[in-house]
Amino acid sequence: MNYTFEILGVSPTLSFFNQQQELLQQQHSVGVEYLGNHKCTLDSFVASVESVSPHRGWDVDRVVDSVISFWMNNSESINYWKCRLQDAGSENLLVARVGDIKSLQAAFESLLSQ
């Protein structure tokens, strides 16, 4: 299975929590997980995917590799989001999405068909 990781933006902590609750109730995209961190570091996102992956039945090493690959190839984007997170203040999270590519593709296709 192939995985993808990307940073989506900055969100207030309460908004992120509410969105997570809505997603738990819907559970349409089983192979996609949204992560929120107070820090924009590789270590914090690796720790997040390591804790989420076993519950999803994902290959932890491959998911971690996708995070590391993103970090190695997107330094400008990472610096941008790191600055935005600092500007937003401590009540905010940096939100990222990780998932298996097939589930993410199915989620996008269902959005287009609506």
Side-chain angles (χ1 to χ4, degrees), residues 16-27:
F16 179 75
F17 175 77
N18 288 334
Q19 184 66 29
Q20 288 293 87
Q21 293 304 307
E22 287 177 24
L23 288 173
L24 280 173
Q25 291 173 357
Q26 296 171 2
Q27 207 55 27

Side-chain angles (χ1 to χ4, degrees), residues 47-60:
S48 293
V49 299
E50 284 178 336
S51 68
V52 166
S53 296
H55 302 298
R56 293 285 188 174
W58 291 342
D59 180 340
V60 177

